[in-house]
mmCIF file of all heavy atoms in Angstrom:
data_model
loop_
_atom_site.group_PDB
_atom_site.id
_atom_site.type_symbol
_atom_site.label_atom_id
_atom_site.label_comp_id
_atom_site.label_asym_id
_atom_site.label_seq_id
_atom_site.Cartn_x
_atom_site.Cartn_y
_atom_site.Cartn_z
ATOM 1 N N LEU Q 14 -19.511 12.892 -18.405
ATOM 2 C CA LEU Q 14 -19.126 13.331 -19.748
ATOM 3 C C LEU Q 14 -19.919 12.552 -20.822
ATOM 4 O O LEU Q 14 -19.978 12.817 -21.929
ATOM 5 C CB LEU Q 14 -17.705 13.141 -19.942
ATOM 6 C CG LEU Q 14 -16.750 13.966 -19.032
ATOM 7 C CD1 LEU Q 14 -15.317 13.658 -19.333
ATOM 8 C CD2 LEU Q 14 -17.028 15.398 -19.336
ATOM 9 N N TRP Q 15 -20.539 11.388 -20.333
ATOM 10 C CA TRP Q 15 -21.331 10.475 -21.256
ATOM 11 C C TRP Q 15 -22.813 10.731 -21.254
ATOM 12 O O TRP Q 15 -23.606 9.732 -21.078
ATOM 13 C CB TRP Q 15 -20.928 9.078 -21.032
ATOM 14 C CG TRP Q 15 -19.672 8.612 -21.522
ATOM 15 C CD1 TRP Q 15 -18.359 8.807 -20.925
ATOM 16 C CD2 TRP Q 15 -19.353 8.278 -22.939
ATOM 17 N NE1 TRP Q 15 -17.426 8.436 -21.782
ATOM 18 C CE2 TRP Q 15 -17.948 8.059 -23.033
ATOM 19 C CE3 TRP Q 15 -20.228 8.084 -24.050
ATOM 20 C CZ2 TRP Q 15 -17.370 7.730 -24.241
ATOM 21 C CZ3 TRP Q 15 -19.638 7.627 -25.179
ATOM 22 C CH2 TRP Q 15 -18.179 7.406 -25.256
ATOM 23 N N TRP Q 16 -23.166 12.046 -21.168
ATOM 24 C CA TRP Q 16 -24.581 12.355 -21.059
ATOM 25 C C TRP Q 16 -25.304 12.387 -22.396
ATOM 26 O O TRP Q 16 -24.635 12.817 -23.395
ATOM 27 C CB TRP Q 16 -24.814 13.709 -20.324
ATOM 28 C CG TRP Q 16 -25.996 13.701 -19.399
ATOM 29 C CD1 TRP Q 16 -27.157 14.242 -19.552
ATOM 30 C CD2 TRP Q 16 -26.078 12.971 -18.164
ATOM 31 N NE1 TRP Q 16 -28.079 14.013 -18.609
ATOM 32 C CE2 TRP Q 16 -27.303 13.272 -17.704
ATOM 33 C CE3 TRP Q 16 -25.211 12.246 -17.529
ATOM 34 C CZ2 TRP Q 16 -27.814 12.665 -16.407
ATOM 35 C CZ3 TRP Q 16 -25.544 11.702 -16.287
ATOM 36 C CH2 TRP Q 16 -26.770 11.986 -15.754
ATOM 37 N N SER Q 17 -26.479 11.950 -22.467
ATOM 38 C CA SER Q 17 -27.284 12.053 -23.717
ATOM 39 C C SER Q 17 -28.540 12.958 -23.450
ATOM 40 O O SER Q 17 -28.551 13.993 -22.745
ATOM 41 C CB SER Q 17 -27.651 10.665 -24.140
ATOM 42 O OG SER Q 17 -28.284 10.631 -25.444
ATOM 43 N N TRP Q 18 -29.715 12.674 -24.107
ATOM 44 C CA TRP Q 18 -30.845 13.472 -23.876
ATOM 45 C C TRP Q 18 -31.282 13.658 -22.454
ATOM 46 O O TRP Q 18 -31.459 14.768 -22.033
ATOM 47 C CB TRP Q 18 -32.009 12.867 -24.732
ATOM 48 C CG TRP Q 18 -31.957 13.138 -26.209
ATOM 49 C CD1 TRP Q 18 -31.124 12.459 -27.148
ATOM 50 C CD2 TRP Q 18 -32.618 14.274 -26.932
ATOM 51 N NE1 TRP Q 18 -31.485 13.108 -28.378
ATOM 52 C CE2 TRP Q 18 -32.343 14.142 -28.217
ATOM 53 C CE3 TRP Q 18 -33.515 15.227 -26.500
ATOM 54 C CZ2 TRP Q 18 -32.819 15.058 -29.143
ATOM 55 C CZ3 TRP Q 18 -34.051 16.105 -27.376
ATOM 56 C CH2 TRP Q 18 -33.598 16.021 -28.766
ATOM 57 N N GLU Q 19 -31.530 12.536 -21.780
ATOM 58 C CA GLU Q 19 -32.168 12.627 -20.457
ATOM 59 C C GLU Q 19 -31.345 11.842 -19.334
ATOM 60 O O GLU Q 19 -31.660 11.869 -18.220
ATOM 61 C CB GLU Q 19 -33.576 11.921 -20.579
ATOM 62 C CG GLU Q 19 -34.513 12.730 -21.420
ATOM 63 C CD GLU Q 19 -35.714 11.931 -21.475
ATOM 64 O OE1 GLU Q 19 -35.800 10.616 -21.449
ATOM 65 O OE2 GLU Q 19 -36.867 12.620 -21.815
ATOM 66 N N GLY Q 20 -30.359 11.302 -19.758
ATOM 67 C CA GLY Q 20 -29.476 10.532 -18.841
ATOM 68 C C GLY Q 20 -28.216 9.969 -19.525
ATOM 69 O O GLY Q 20 -27.790 10.473 -20.491
ATOM 70 N N ALA Q 21 -27.542 9.142 -18.800
ATOM 71 C CA ALA Q 21 -26.224 8.516 -19.371
ATOM 72 C C ALA Q 21 -26.533 7.878 -20.706
ATOM 73 O O ALA Q 21 -27.562 7.218 -20.886
ATOM 74 C CB ALA Q 21 -25.637 7.615 -18.337
ATOM 75 N N HIS Q 22 -25.589 7.957 -21.618
ATOM 76 C CA HIS Q 22 -25.686 7.298 -22.909
ATOM 77 C C HIS Q 22 -25.930 5.855 -22.803
ATOM 78 O O HIS Q 22 -25.238 5.182 -22.010
ATOM 79 C CB HIS Q 22 -24.463 7.690 -23.613
ATOM 80 C CG HIS Q 22 -24.346 7.000 -24.993
ATOM 81 N ND1 HIS Q 22 -23.541 5.902 -25.300
ATOM 82 C CD2 HIS Q 22 -25.044 7.203 -26.073
ATOM 83 C CE1 HIS Q 22 -23.625 5.503 -26.561
ATOM 84 N NE2 HIS Q 22 -24.580 6.301 -27.017
ATOM 85 N N GLY Q 23 -26.905 5.308 -23.494
ATOM 86 C CA GLY Q 23 -27.289 3.884 -23.438
ATOM 87 C C GLY Q 23 -26.184 2.963 -23.828
ATOM 88 O O GLY Q 23 -26.037 1.991 -23.041
ATOM 89 N N GLY Q 24 -25.443 3.248 -24.826
ATOM 90 C CA GLY Q 24 -24.216 2.306 -25.085
ATOM 91 C C GLY Q 24 -23.179 2.316 -24.022
ATOM 92 O O GLY Q 24 -22.628 1.341 -23.748
ATOM 93 N N TRP Q 25 -22.926 3.517 -23.344
ATOM 94 C CA TRP Q 25 -22.055 3.584 -22.228
ATOM 95 C C TRP Q 25 -22.612 2.700 -20.998
ATOM 96 O O TRP Q 25 -21.894 2.032 -20.425
ATOM 97 C CB TRP Q 25 -21.755 4.941 -21.868
ATOM 98 C CG TRP Q 25 -20.794 5.078 -20.682
ATOM 99 C CD1 TRP Q 25 -19.391 5.239 -20.808
ATOM 100 C CD2 TRP Q 25 -21.095 4.979 -19.266
ATOM 101 N NE1 TRP Q 25 -18.910 5.305 -19.510
ATOM 102 C CE2 TRP Q 25 -19.811 5.112 -18.681
ATOM 103 C CE3 TRP Q 25 -22.141 4.891 -18.543
ATOM 104 C CZ2 TRP Q 25 -19.753 5.102 -17.177
ATOM 105 C CZ3 TRP Q 25 -22.044 4.898 -17.151
ATOM 106 C CH2 TRP Q 25 -20.853 4.993 -16.479
ATOM 107 N N VAL Q 26 -23.819 2.835 -20.744
ATOM 108 C CA VAL Q 26 -24.434 2.055 -19.712
ATOM 109 C C VAL Q 26 -24.349 0.600 -19.962
ATOM 110 O O VAL Q 26 -24.100 -0.220 -19.071
ATOM 111 C CB VAL Q 26 -25.877 2.437 -19.514
ATOM 112 C CG1 VAL Q 26 -26.562 1.595 -18.416
ATOM 113 C CG2 VAL Q 26 -25.985 3.915 -19.038
ATOM 114 N N ALA Q 27 -24.622 0.145 -21.191
ATOM 115 C CA ALA Q 27 -24.395 -1.141 -21.620
ATOM 116 C C ALA Q 27 -23.001 -1.681 -21.371
ATOM 117 O O ALA Q 27 -22.718 -2.825 -20.858
ATOM 118 C CB ALA Q 27 -24.815 -1.353 -23.063
ATOM 119 N N GLY Q 28 -22.020 -0.905 -21.704
ATOM 120 C CA GLY Q 28 -20.634 -1.189 -21.498
ATOM 121 C C GLY Q 28 -20.266 -1.372 -20.072
ATOM 122 O O GLY Q 28 -19.594 -2.213 -19.612
ATOM 123 N N ALA Q 29 -20.903 -0.436 -19.169
ATOM 124 C CA ALA Q 29 -20.634 -0.600 -17.741
ATOM 125 C C ALA Q 29 -21.299 -1.925 -17.163
ATOM 126 O O ALA Q 29 -20.684 -2.494 -16.265
ATOM 127 C CB ALA Q 29 -21.181 0.740 -17.051
ATOM 128 N N ALA Q 30 -22.446 -2.201 -17.636
ATOM 129 C CA ALA Q 30 -23.147 -3.417 -17.273
ATOM 130 C C ALA Q 30 -22.270 -4.577 -17.636
ATOM 131 O O ALA Q 30 -22.116 -5.578 -16.866
ATOM 132 C CB ALA Q 30 -24.583 -3.501 -17.897
ATOM 133 N N LEU Q 31 -21.760 -4.564 -18.783
ATOM 134 C CA LEU Q 31 -20.910 -5.753 -19.253
ATOM 135 C C LEU Q 31 -19.630 -5.841 -18.340
ATOM 136 O O LEU Q 31 -19.184 -6.922 -17.978
ATOM 137 C CB LEU Q 31 -20.409 -5.481 -20.692
ATOM 138 C CG LEU Q 31 -19.395 -6.565 -21.269
ATOM 139 C CD1 LEU Q 31 -19.926 -7.976 -21.193
ATOM 140 C CD2 LEU Q 31 -19.069 -6.109 -22.711
ATOM 141 N N THR Q 32 -18.984 -4.688 -18.078
ATOM 142 C CA THR Q 32 -17.796 -4.795 -17.210
ATOM 143 C C THR Q 32 -18.183 -5.428 -15.912
ATOM 144 O O THR Q 32 -17.468 -6.187 -15.289
ATOM 145 C CB THR Q 32 -17.253 -3.400 -17.101
ATOM 146 O OG1 THR Q 32 -16.818 -2.924 -18.376
ATOM 147 C CG2 THR Q 32 -15.974 -3.336 -16.147
ATOM 148 N N ALA Q 33 -19.383 -4.875 -15.239
ATOM 149 C CA ALA Q 33 -19.727 -5.448 -13.951
ATOM 150 C C ALA Q 33 -19.979 -7.025 -14.061
ATOM 151 O O ALA Q 33 -19.635 -7.763 -13.262
ATOM 152 C CB ALA Q 33 -20.889 -4.691 -13.523
ATOM 153 N N ALA Q 34 -20.671 -7.303 -15.105
ATOM 154 C CA ALA Q 34 -21.026 -8.774 -15.264
ATOM 155 C C ALA Q 34 -19.820 -9.620 -15.503
ATOM 156 O O ALA Q 34 -19.665 -10.782 -14.904
ATOM 157 C CB ALA Q 34 -22.014 -9.009 -16.359
ATOM 158 N N ARG Q 35 -18.820 -9.101 -16.285
ATOM 159 C CA ARG Q 35 -17.689 -9.912 -16.635
ATOM 160 C C ARG Q 35 -16.649 -9.990 -15.370
ATOM 161 O O ARG Q 35 -16.300 -11.143 -15.060
ATOM 162 C CB ARG Q 35 -16.930 -9.268 -17.763
ATOM 163 C CG ARG Q 35 -15.645 -9.939 -18.197
ATOM 164 C CD ARG Q 35 -14.822 -9.083 -19.154
ATOM 165 N NE ARG Q 35 -14.443 -7.857 -18.419
ATOM 166 C CZ ARG Q 35 -14.210 -6.621 -19.062
ATOM 167 N NH1 ARG Q 35 -14.397 -6.507 -20.307
ATOM 168 N NH2 ARG Q 35 -13.810 -5.600 -18.381
ATOM 169 N N ASP Q 36 -16.419 -8.884 -14.778
ATOM 170 C CA ASP Q 36 -15.405 -8.843 -13.740
ATOM 171 C C ASP Q 36 -16.044 -9.284 -12.388
ATOM 172 O O ASP Q 36 -15.355 -9.906 -11.590
ATOM 173 C CB ASP Q 36 -14.823 -7.582 -13.698
ATOM 174 C CG ASP Q 36 -14.064 -7.056 -14.871
ATOM 175 O OD1 ASP Q 36 -13.776 -7.944 -15.756
ATOM 176 O OD2 ASP Q 36 -13.842 -5.876 -15.094
ATOM 177 N N GLY Q 37 -17.335 -8.839 -12.151
ATOM 178 C CA GLY Q 37 -17.937 -9.028 -10.842
ATOM 179 C C GLY Q 37 -18.617 -10.333 -10.765
ATOM 180 O O GLY Q 37 -18.659 -10.999 -9.597
ATOM 181 N N PHE Q 38 -19.260 -10.842 -11.835
ATOM 182 C CA PHE Q 38 -20.132 -11.981 -11.756
ATOM 183 C C PHE Q 38 -19.527 -13.214 -12.422
ATOM 184 O O PHE Q 38 -19.644 -14.311 -11.980
ATOM 185 C CB PHE Q 38 -21.469 -11.576 -12.350
ATOM 186 C CG PHE Q 38 -22.135 -10.383 -11.927
ATOM 187 C CD1 PHE Q 38 -22.952 -9.649 -12.805
ATOM 188 C CD2 PHE Q 38 -21.833 -9.751 -10.632
ATOM 189 C CE1 PHE Q 38 -23.412 -8.422 -12.270
ATOM 190 C CE2 PHE Q 38 -22.397 -8.693 -10.203
ATOM 191 C CZ PHE Q 38 -23.190 -8.034 -10.984
ATOM 192 N N ALA Q 39 -18.796 -12.952 -13.566
ATOM 193 C CA ALA Q 39 -18.360 -14.116 -14.293
ATOM 194 C C ALA Q 39 -16.879 -14.357 -14.162
ATOM 195 O O ALA Q 39 -16.263 -15.312 -14.700
ATOM 196 C CB ALA Q 39 -18.632 -14.015 -15.837
ATOM 197 N N GLY Q 40 -16.240 -13.567 -13.376
ATOM 198 C CA GLY Q 40 -14.866 -13.763 -13.097
ATOM 199 C C GLY Q 40 -13.841 -13.432 -14.077
ATOM 200 O O GLY Q 40 -12.720 -13.524 -13.987
ATOM 201 N N GLY Q 41 -14.348 -12.834 -15.273
ATOM 202 C CA GLY Q 41 -13.415 -12.349 -16.300
ATOM 203 C C GLY Q 41 -12.631 -13.352 -17.042
ATOM 204 O O GLY Q 41 -11.684 -13.114 -17.688
ATOM 205 N N ARG Q 42 -13.001 -14.535 -16.897
ATOM 206 C CA ARG Q 42 -12.262 -15.650 -17.494
ATOM 207 C C ARG Q 42 -12.719 -16.046 -18.952
ATOM 208 O O ARG Q 42 -11.930 -16.651 -19.654
ATOM 209 C CB ARG Q 42 -12.337 -16.890 -16.658
ATOM 210 C CG ARG Q 42 -11.636 -16.763 -15.297
ATOM 211 C CD ARG Q 42 -11.689 -18.034 -14.551
ATOM 212 N NE ARG Q 42 -13.159 -18.478 -14.249
ATOM 213 C CZ ARG Q 42 -13.794 -18.082 -13.261
ATOM 214 N NH1 ARG Q 42 -13.265 -17.192 -12.323
ATOM 215 N NH2 ARG Q 42 -14.996 -18.393 -13.051
ATOM 216 N N ARG Q 43 -13.905 -15.779 -19.259
ATOM 217 C CA ARG Q 43 -14.430 -16.209 -20.613
ATOM 218 C C ARG Q 43 -14.685 -15.046 -21.358
ATOM 219 O O ARG Q 43 -15.126 -14.019 -20.923
ATOM 220 C CB ARG Q 43 -15.713 -17.018 -20.438
ATOM 221 C CG ARG Q 43 -15.602 -18.254 -19.563
ATOM 222 C CD ARG Q 43 -16.993 -18.789 -19.350
ATOM 223 N NE ARG Q 43 -16.989 -20.070 -18.481
ATOM 224 C CZ ARG Q 43 -17.217 -19.879 -17.217
ATOM 225 N NH1 ARG Q 43 -17.364 -18.801 -16.646
ATOM 226 N NH2 ARG Q 43 -17.162 -21.141 -16.453
#
Side-chain angles (χ1 to χ4, degrees):
L14 297 178
W15 282 91
W16 219 253
S17 189
W18 277 84
E19 299 171 330
H22 175 251
W25 182 91
V26 173
L31 172 58
T32 299
R35 180 194 62 210
D36 298 342
F38 312 150
R42 293 183 299 274
R43 306 173 179 90

